[in-house]
PDB file of all heavy atoms in Angstrom:
ATOM      1  N   LEU A   7       0.833  -1.194   0.000  1.00  0.00           N
ATOM      2  CA  LEU A   7       0.000   0.000   0.000  1.00  0.00           C
ATOM      3  C   LEU A   7       0.872   1.251   0.000  1.00  0.00           C
ATOM      4  O   LEU A   7       0.623   2.204  -0.746  1.00  0.00           O
ATOM      5  CB  LEU A   7      -0.928   0.003   1.216  1.00  0.00           C
ATOM      6  CG  LEU A   7      -1.836   1.230   1.370  1.00  0.00           C
ATOM      7  CD1 LEU A   7      -2.778   1.346   0.183  1.00  0.00           C
ATOM      8  CD2 LEU A   7      -2.623   1.146   2.660  1.00  0.00           C
ATOM      9  N   GLY A   8       1.932   1.239   0.804  1.00  0.00           N
ATOM     10  CA  GLY A   8       2.845   2.383   0.843  1.00  0.00           C
ATOM     11  C   GLY A   8       3.531   2.604  -0.497  1.00  0.00           C
ATOM     12  O   GLY A   8       3.724   3.747  -0.933  1.00  0.00           O
ATOM     13  N   ALA A   9       3.902   1.515  -1.181  1.00  0.00           N
ATOM     14  CA  ALA A   9       4.543   1.630  -2.490  1.00  0.00           C
ATOM     15  C   ALA A   9       3.591   2.260  -3.499  1.00  0.00           C
ATOM     16  O   ALA A   9       3.992   3.122  -4.294  1.00  0.00           O
ATOM     17  CB  ALA A   9       5.000   0.255  -2.974  1.00  0.00           C
ATOM     18  N   VAL A  10       2.338   1.864  -3.500  1.00  0.00           N
ATOM     19  CA  VAL A  10       1.351   2.417  -4.426  1.00  0.00           C
ATOM     20  C   VAL A  10       1.176   3.916  -4.161  1.00  0.00           C
ATOM     21  O   VAL A  10       1.204   4.737  -5.087  1.00  0.00           O
ATOM     22  CB  VAL A  10      -0.003   1.677  -4.299  1.00  0.00           C
ATOM     23  CG1 VAL A  10      -1.097   2.396  -5.059  1.00  0.00           C
ATOM     24  CG2 VAL A  10       0.138   0.245  -4.802  1.00  0.00           C
ATOM     25  N   ILE A  11       1.006   4.274  -2.894  1.00  0.00           N
ATOM     26  CA  ILE A  11       0.828   5.690  -2.548  1.00  0.00           C
ATOM     27  C   ILE A  11       2.078   6.490  -2.925  1.00  0.00           C
ATOM     28  O   ILE A  11       1.995   7.573  -3.501  1.00  0.00           O
ATOM     29  CB  ILE A  11       0.485   5.858  -1.053  1.00  0.00           C
ATOM     30  CG1 ILE A  11      -0.901   5.260  -0.783  1.00  0.00           C
ATOM     31  CG2 ILE A  11       0.540   7.328  -0.629  1.00  0.00           C
ATOM     32  CD1 ILE A  11      -1.251   5.135   0.684  1.00  0.00           C
ATOM     33  N   GLY A  12       3.269   5.917  -2.637  1.00  0.00           N
ATOM     34  CA  GLY A  12       4.526   6.597  -2.980  1.00  0.00           C
ATOM     35  C   GLY A  12       4.699   6.769  -4.475  1.00  0.00           C
ATOM     36  O   GLY A  12       5.176   7.810  -4.946  1.00  0.00           O
ATOM     37  N   ALA A  13       4.304   5.773  -5.270  1.00  0.00           N
ATOM     38  CA  ALA A  13       4.439   5.856  -6.728  1.00  0.00           C
ATOM     39  C   ALA A  13       3.533   6.947  -7.286  1.00  0.00           C
ATOM     40  O   ALA A  13       3.924   7.693  -8.177  1.00  0.00           O
ATOM     41  CB  ALA A  13       4.084   4.506  -7.361  1.00  0.00           C
ATOM     42  N   ILE A  14       2.353   7.046  -6.744  1.00  0.00           N
ATOM     43  CA  ILE A  14       1.422   8.085  -7.192  1.00  0.00           C
ATOM     44  C   ILE A  14       1.996   9.459  -6.855  1.00  0.00           C
ATOM     45  O   ILE A  14       1.974  10.381  -7.670  1.00  0.00           O
ATOM     46  CB  ILE A  14       0.034   7.901  -6.541  1.00  0.00           C
ATOM     47  CG1 ILE A  14      -0.624   6.630  -7.083  1.00  0.00           C
ATOM     48  CG2 ILE A  14      -0.856   9.113  -6.768  1.00  0.00           C
ATOM     49  CD1 ILE A  14      -1.875   6.202  -6.346  1.00  0.00           C
ATOM     50  N   ALA A  15       2.576   9.571  -5.663  1.00  0.00           N
ATOM     51  CA  ALA A  15       3.076  10.867  -5.212  1.00  0.00           C
ATOM     52  C   ALA A  15       4.411  11.232  -5.837  1.00  0.00           C
ATOM     53  O   ALA A  15       4.666  12.401  -6.110  1.00  0.00           O
ATOM     54  CB  ALA A  15       3.209  10.869  -3.693  1.00  0.00           C
ATOM     55  N   GLY A  16       5.297  10.260  -6.068  1.00  0.00           N
ATOM     56  CA  GLY A  16       6.635  10.652  -6.505  1.00  0.00           C
ATOM     57  C   GLY A  16       7.315   9.725  -7.476  1.00  0.00           C
ATOM     58  O   GLY A  16       8.543   9.673  -7.541  1.00  0.00           O
ATOM     59  N   GLY A  17       6.592   8.930  -8.241  1.00  0.00           N
ATOM     60  CA  GLY A  17       7.205   8.057  -9.233  1.00  0.00           C
ATOM     61  C   GLY A  17       7.947   6.897  -8.587  1.00  0.00           C
ATOM     62  O   GLY A  17       7.637   6.483  -7.476  1.00  0.00           O
ATOM     63  N   GLY A  18       8.986   6.373  -9.289  1.00  0.00           N
ATOM     64  CA  GLY A  18       9.732   5.194  -8.840  1.00  0.00           C
ATOM     65  C   GLY A  18      10.401   5.399  -7.494  1.00  0.00           C
ATOM     66  O   GLY A  18      10.378   4.527  -6.629  1.00  0.00           O
ATOM     67  N   LYS A  19      11.058   6.559  -7.301  1.00  0.00           N
ATOM     68  CA  LYS A  19      11.708   6.839  -6.022  1.00  0.00           C
ATOM     69  C   LYS A  19      10.672   6.924  -4.908  1.00  0.00           C
ATOM     70  O   LYS A  19      10.871   6.419  -3.802  1.00  0.00           O
ATOM     71  CB  LYS A  19      12.492   8.146  -6.121  1.00  0.00           C
ATOM     72  CG  LYS A  19      13.291   8.476  -4.886  1.00  0.00           C
ATOM     73  CD  LYS A  19      14.105   9.748  -5.085  1.00  0.00           C
ATOM     74  CE  LYS A  19      14.861  10.091  -3.823  1.00  0.00           C
ATOM     75  NZ  LYS A  19      15.577  11.350  -3.942  1.00  0.00           N
ATOM     76  N   GLY A  20       9.539   7.496  -5.187  1.00  0.00           N
ATOM     77  CA  GLY A  20       8.456   7.594  -4.202  1.00  0.00           C
ATOM     78  C   GLY A  20       7.915   6.219  -3.832  1.00  0.00           C
ATOM     79  O   GLY A  20       7.542   5.983  -2.682  1.00  0.00           O
ATOM     80  N   ALA A  21       7.898   5.293  -4.787  1.00  0.00           N
ATOM     81  CA  ALA A  21       7.406   3.946  -4.514  1.00  0.00           C
ATOM     82  C   ALA A  21       8.312   3.252  -3.507  1.00  0.00           C
ATOM     83  O   ALA A  21       7.842   2.592  -2.577  1.00  0.00           O
ATOM     84  CB  ALA A  21       7.324   3.127  -5.800  1.00  0.00           C
ATOM     85  N   ALA A  22       9.626   3.393  -3.653  1.00  0.00           N
ATOM     86  CA  ALA A  22      10.569   2.763  -2.721  1.00  0.00           C
ATOM     87  C   ALA A  22      10.421   3.351  -1.325  1.00  0.00           C
ATOM     88  O   ALA A  22      10.400   2.622  -0.334  1.00  0.00           O
ATOM     89  CB  ALA A  22      11.997   2.939  -3.223  1.00  0.00           C
ATOM     90  N   ILE A  23      10.315   4.666  -1.258  1.00  0.00           N
ATOM     91  CA  ILE A  23      10.144   5.327   0.042  1.00  0.00           C
ATOM     92  C   ILE A  23       8.811   4.909   0.655  1.00  0.00           C
ATOM     93  O   ILE A  23       8.731   4.584   1.841  1.00  0.00           O
ATOM     94  CB  ILE A  23      10.230   6.866  -0.101  1.00  0.00           C
ATOM     95  CG1 ILE A  23      11.659   7.270  -0.509  1.00  0.00           C
ATOM     96  CG2 ILE A  23       9.809   7.568   1.190  1.00  0.00           C
ATOM     97  CD1 ILE A  23      11.789   8.713  -0.941  1.00  0.00           C
ATOM     98  N   GLY A  24       7.759   4.868  -0.143  1.00  0.00           N
ATOM     99  CA  GLY A  24       6.435   4.486   0.337  1.00  0.00           C
ATOM    100  C   GLY A  24       6.405   3.050   0.842  1.00  0.00           C
ATOM    101  O   GLY A  24       5.761   2.744   1.843  1.00  0.00           O
ATOM    102  N   ALA A  25       7.116   2.145   0.164  1.00  0.00           N
ATOM    103  CA  ALA A  25       7.147   0.742   0.596  1.00  0.00           C
ATOM    104  C   ALA A  25       7.797   0.633   1.968  1.00  0.00           C
ATOM    105  O   ALA A  25       7.312  -0.066   2.853  1.00  0.00           O
ATOM    106  CB  ALA A  25       7.905  -0.118  -0.422  1.00  0.00           C
ATOM    107  N   GLY A  26       8.906   1.347   2.165  1.00  0.00           N
ATOM    108  CA  GLY A  26       9.576   1.326   3.474  1.00  0.00           C
ATOM    109  C   GLY A  26       8.696   1.908   4.556  1.00  0.00           C
ATOM    110  O   GLY A  26       8.595   1.354   5.658  1.00  0.00           O
ATOM    111  N   SER A  27       8.030   2.997   4.262  1.00  0.00           N
ATOM    112  CA  SER A  27       7.141   3.618   5.242  1.00  0.00           C
ATOM    113  C   SER A  27       5.963   2.712   5.551  1.00  0.00           C
ATOM    114  O   SER A  27       5.551   2.567   6.706  1.00  0.00           O
ATOM    115  CB  SER A  27       6.611   4.953   4.723  1.00  0.00           C
ATOM    116  OG  SER A  27       7.684   5.853   4.540  1.00  0.00           O
ATOM    117  N   GLY A  28       5.424   2.077   4.518  1.00  0.00           N
ATOM    118  CA  GLY A  28       4.294   1.170   4.719  1.00  0.00           C
ATOM    119  C   GLY A  28       4.680  -0.014   5.585  1.00  0.00           C
ATOM    120  O   GLY A  28       3.919  -0.431   6.466  1.00  0.00           O
ATOM    121  N   ALA A  29       5.876  -0.576   5.386  1.00  0.00           N
ATOM    122  CA  ALA A  29       6.329  -1.700   6.208  1.00  0.00           C
ATOM    123  C   ALA A  29       6.479  -1.258   7.655  1.00  0.00           C
ATOM    124  O   ALA A  29       6.118  -1.984   8.581  1.00  0.00           O
ATOM    125  CB  ALA A  29       7.649  -2.250   5.678  1.00  0.00           C
ATOM    126  N   ALA A  30       7.002  -0.072   7.872  1.00  0.00           N
ATOM    127  CA  ALA A  30       7.167   0.440   9.240  1.00  0.00           C
ATOM    128  C   ALA A  30       5.806   0.608   9.907  1.00  0.00           C
ATOM    129  O   ALA A  30       5.631   0.262  11.074  1.00  0.00           O
ATOM    130  CB  ALA A  30       7.921   1.764   9.227  1.00  0.00           C
ATOM    131  N   VAL A  31       4.818   1.129   9.178  1.00  0.00           N
ATOM    132  CA  VAL A  31       3.477   1.292   9.729  1.00  0.00           C
ATOM    133  C   VAL A  31       2.879  -0.073  10.050  1.00  0.00           C
ATOM    134  O   VAL A  31       2.273  -0.283  11.092  1.00  0.00           O
ATOM    135  CB  VAL A  31       2.569   2.078   8.749  1.00  0.00           C
ATOM    136  CG1 VAL A  31       1.115   1.994   9.170  1.00  0.00           C
ATOM    137  CG2 VAL A  31       3.026   3.520   8.683  1.00  0.00           C
ATOM    138  N   GLY A  32       3.062  -1.068   9.168  1.00  0.00           N
ATOM    139  CA  GLY A  32       2.542  -2.417   9.399  1.00  0.00           C
ATOM    140  C   GLY A  32       3.150  -3.043  10.633  1.00  0.00           C
ATOM    141  O   GLY A  32       2.459  -3.662  11.441  1.00  0.00           O
ATOM    142  N   THR A  33       4.456  -2.872  10.835  1.00  0.00           N
ATOM    143  CA  THR A  33       5.127  -3.417  12.009  1.00  0.00           C
ATOM    144  C   THR A  33       4.566  -2.762  13.268  1.00  0.00           C
ATOM    145  O   THR A  33       4.276  -3.433  14.251  1.00  0.00           O
ATOM    146  CB  THR A  33       6.652  -3.201  11.923  1.00  0.00           C
ATOM    147  OG1 THR A  33       7.114  -3.815  10.724  1.00  0.00           O
ATOM    148  CG2 THR A  33       7.357  -3.798  13.113  1.00  0.00           C
ATOM    149  N   GLY A  34       4.374  -1.464  13.232  1.00  0.00           N
ATOM    150  CA  GLY A  34       3.812  -0.763  14.383  1.00  0.00           C
ATOM    151  C   GLY A  34       2.413  -1.263  14.706  1.00  0.00           C
ATOM    152  O   GLY A  34       2.063  -1.462  15.857  1.00  0.00           O
TER     153      GLY A  34
END
């Protein structure tokens, strides 16, 4: 989910950042 949101917001680099953020939210 974070990767999808990141890709929409910032392209390929945003997808990577979004995936990391999404994993952190899931762990929390």
Side-chain angles (χ1 to χ4, degrees):
L7 178 62
V10 170
I11 293 169
I14 292 170
K19 184 177 178 184
I23 293 169
S27 297
V31 168
T33 303

